[in-house]
Amino acid sequence: MGINADFDDQYSHHHYQRVEIPPPKPFLKTLKSNVKETLFPDDPFRKFKNQPLSKKISLGFQYFVPILDWAPRYTLQLFKADIIAGITIASLAVPQGISYAGLANLPPVIGLYSSFVPPLIYAMLGSSKHLAIGNVAVPSLLISAMLGKVVNPHENPKLYLQLVFTATFFAGVFQASLGFLRLGFIVDFLSHATILGFMGGAATVVCLQQLKGILGLVHFTHQTDIVSVMTSIFTQIHQWRWESGVLGCCFLFFLLLTRYFSKMKPKFFWISAMAPLTSVILGSVLVYFTHAEKNGVQVIGHLKKGINPPSYSELAFSSQYLAIAIKTGVVTSIISLAEGIAVGRSFAILENYDIDGNKEMIAFGLMNIVGSCTSCYLTTGPFSRTAVNYNAGCKTTVSNIVMSIAVMITLLLLTPLFHYTPLVVLSSIIISAMLGIIDYNAAIHLWKVDKYDFLVCISSYIGVVFGSVEVGLIVAVAMSLLRILLFVARPKTFVLGKIPNSMTYRNIEQYSAASSVPGVLIIHIDSPIYFANASYLRERISRWIDEEEEKQRTSTEIELQYVILDMSAVGNIDTSGISMLEEVKRNADRRCLKVLLANPGGEVMKKLDKSNFIDKIGKEWIYLTIGEAVNACNYILHNCKFQSKRIDSSVTPDDNV
């Protein structure tokens, strides 16, 4: 290595671009930039620049209340499309609202209330054109599972209802807070695999619990795990009602058949959309004329007429169960946010427009806060209703207003007609909807693409089905966080080789044509270097060097003299990472090896400069590209070899004596 040092100055005179250190920035300016990138990645203030105050105020109102932006451009043609879509989703909202309220152990009319007020709020504040608002199965199940543990909804229905409204209020506060504080990225910690497994498990649990309605059972377990549910079913075989079972299977077959037909013939989507309401009407007529309610077929019974009464006085802020209400609100708000935003984005992509995740959180939050004060429970944007809204030709959120008006008319005039609606029909509607959520094809796709994602998905599913909804959620989140930690703590490193006839360097395991450079080891580090992975990277780099030296002992290649660390993927580095590089350098010096850095980023260069690491390693050993670093090594190796030959040729036989 002493000879190499003699040629450092020679090579430094060759023309190549040095890696520059970015100019220093004031701390406050850097902090402001980092906060802006974290909380405002969409740059919402861009359109406010260089605008007069009046225009800024107008744009501000339009930003927070999107209806003010598009309403002036609304046309009669758009309204024709929206009114058809609104009436179509109203036909789905009424039976679903009643069904999901039963799933949450709430009076059926609460489900109808929840399809009246919240859609009006979202129509004004939401940024998705196609999202149809309503209550959904999984949050309904969560509410029942979590609150039902502390208060029996049948023994103390008033307190249970108060806790549901309170949980809905805190769910809205949490959602709106995430939006106002620009913390929407928190929801992204629920990965696609996590949600897929959780939703599939919850859908399975919901289907199993609906066997109570299908079989006409009066007493049923409050537990949600499959063992408790199946035990409850098979220990009551003598109480099964064949009338209810036959009726339920017939309607379930009808619903699944219409869904299959609409899937095969997308133009006839309305058949599947109208099927739930048709089932309710047919079931009610059948029960009315056959008096089936006297033969074991349970019916809804009396539904209170009138629109939502205020419920702000029912919020149980002073209740001893306030903590569980807050916990329920936070958990259900996260699940409903994840579903609503995911559904909204999916349909926005189909129509090539953007939705603002933070605006959506504010809209969801405010509609649930208002809903909790108007006898509604948690609502979001369910996939089934949104898909029907989209297929019906919806153009704007006016379809939600039309649906809301249709539900209002139902509440004012038509609720007596639901008196004879059999509960078994509602169970069939729920099972039919839930079977569409269990996406086994997506799970198979995860298995093919990413085994760990599949493990996260199936762990979440098993946790929900064999444990509880809460256990499944905890397992899913824990598995996702574990994966994040593994990515951070165990980043990928690999050896690069040169692609023939090019200046390109690629992973030698991925590219069979890539060949290693004699005397040079090129190691790519594929992540930022932090305290969590610094020790691992030090050990892994040392192991790469050991393996390379062992390989060269059994070959005739030039012995290893240079180690190039490709820093192109290292976006940042902390003090632990810098200490790691210093240890790598000291270890290399002991082995008589020289360490070079290739393509370190601006943030990395600033920290290396401030820590004086650049002086320790030498500016001449930091290169803009791997190619330049390899050329430098080859230049020195070639000149060393050439000088060594000259020295050998100048030695006479007498000198050797």
Side-chain angles (χ1 to χ4, degrees), residues 279-295:
S279 299
V280 169
I281 295 172
L282 290 176
S284 301
V285 171
L286 183 63
V287 169
Y288 179 78
F289 285 106
T290 62
H291 301 288
E293 77 276 12
K294 298 178 181 178
N295 295 304

Side-chain angles (χ1 to χ4, degrees), residues 487-493 524-530 533 537 566-573:
F487 277 143
V488 172
R490 295 293 183 268
K492 295 291 184 182
T493 61
H524 176 84
I525 301 174
D526 201 25
S527 91
I529 304 175
Y530 294 117
N533 60 28
L537 286 173
D566 176 21
M567 310 277 284
S568 55
V570 181
N572 210 328
I573 190 170

Side-chain angles (χ1 to χ4, degrees), residues 241-262:
R241 307 294 303 195
W242 69 266
E243 302 93 340
S244 180
V246 170
L247 194 63
C249 290
C250 289
F251 278 109
L252 181 58
F253 177 76
F254 168 70
L255 290 165
L256 293 176
L257 184 65
T258 56
R259 173 183 289 180
Y260 177 79
F261 180 76
S262 295

Side-chain angles (χ1 to χ4, degrees), residues 517-539:
V517 180
V520 181
L521 175 63
I522 310 170
I523 302 173
H524 176 84
I525 301 174
D526 201 25
S527 91
I529 304 175
Y530 294 117
F531 65 92
N533 60 28
S535 295
Y536 168 77
L537 286 173
R538 181 188 64 248
E539 294 167 1

Side-chain angles (χ1 to χ4, degrees), residues 94-361:
V94 171
Q96 275 192 349
I98 295 173
S99 302
Y100 294 152
L103 191 61
N105 286 321
L106 294 170
V109 72
I110 300 296
L112 294 179
Y113 290 161
S114 301
S115 293
F116 171 44
V117 174
L120 293 175
I121 305 298
Y122 183 82
M124 293 185 290
L125 303 177
S127 61
S128 171
K129 299 176 183 177
H130 300 96
L131 205 64
I133 299 302
N135 37 26
V136 285
V138 176
S140 300
L141 176 66
L142 276 168
I143 288 171
S144 173
M146 296 179 73
L147 295 180
K149 288 181 179 179
V150 295
V151 177
N152 191 310
H154 305 293
E155 296 176 359
N156 199 343
K158 183 176 181 180
L159 176 59
Y160 180 79
L161 186 59
Q162 289 175 342
L163 291 180
V164 170
F165 291 151
T166 307
T168 301
F169 175 82
F170 282 106
V173 169
F174 184 74
Q175 291 171 332
S177 299
L178 289 180
F180 280 119
L181 297 175
R182 310 288 296 183
L183 299 177
F185 61 86
I186 292 177
V187 179
D188 295 335
F189 281 90
L190 289 176
S191 67
H192 170 68
T194 300
I195 295 173
L196 182 67
F198 177 79
M199 298 292 282
T204 302
V205 168
V206 170
C207 288
L208 291 173
Q209 287 202 326
Q210 295 316 299
L211 293 176
K212 172 189 175 183
I214 296 291
L215 299 174
L217 298 175
V218 178
H219 303 289
F220 204 69
T221 178
H222 294 293
Q223 300 298 319
T224 59
D225 63 283
I226 187 171
V227 176
S228 299
V229 171
M230 299 310 292
T231 301
S232 182
I233 290 172
F234 286 105
T235 54
Q236 301 184 75
I237 294 179
H238 59 285
Q239 296 184 16
W240 291 8
R241 307 294 303 195
W242 69 266
E243 302 93 340
S244 180
V246 170
L247 194 63
C249 290
C250 289
F251 278 109
L252 181 58
F253 177 76
F254 168 70
L255 290 165
L256 293 176
L257 184 65
T258 56
R259 173 183 289 180
Y260 177 79
F261 180 76
S262 295
K263 191 175 181 180
M264 294 296 101
K265 305 285 185 180
K267 291 183 179 179
F268 295 97
F269 71 91
W270 53 271
I271 293 178
S272 177
M274 296 294 292
L277 185 59
T278 303
S279 299
V280 169
I281 295 172
L282 290 176
S284 301
V285 171
L286 183 63
V287 169
Y288 179 78
F289 285 106
T290 62
H291 301 288
E293 77 276 12
K294 298 178 181 178
N295 295 304
V297 177
Q298 302 174 50
V299 297
I300 289 178
H302 175 70
L303 277 181
K304 183 181 177 182
K305 291 178 65 174
I307 58 175
N308 306 35
S311 58
Y312 51 83
S313 60
E314 300 294 321
L315 298 178
F317 295 134
S318 58
S319 171
Q320 60 178 319
Y321 303 114
L322 180 62
I324 189 65
I326 295 174
K327 178 183 175 182
T328 303
V330 171
V331 172
T332 53
S333 70
I334 293 174
I335 297 300
S336 60
L337 267 184
E339 180 177 358
I341 292 177
V343 170
R345 284 177 176 168
S346 299
F347 286 93
I349 290 171
L350 290 176
E351 290 297 308
N352 195 30
Y353 69 92
D354 296 322
I355 67 170
D356 188 324
N358 290 293
K359 282 186 187 178
E360 291 295 280
M361 291 179 182

Side-chain angles (χ1 to χ4, degrees), residues 33 50 102 133 203 269 352 383 425 461 469 494 505 535:
S33 176
N50 303 320
I133 299 302
F269 71 91
N352 195 30
F383 179 81
V425 171
Y461 180 86
V469 175
F494 44 84
Y505 293 82
S535 295

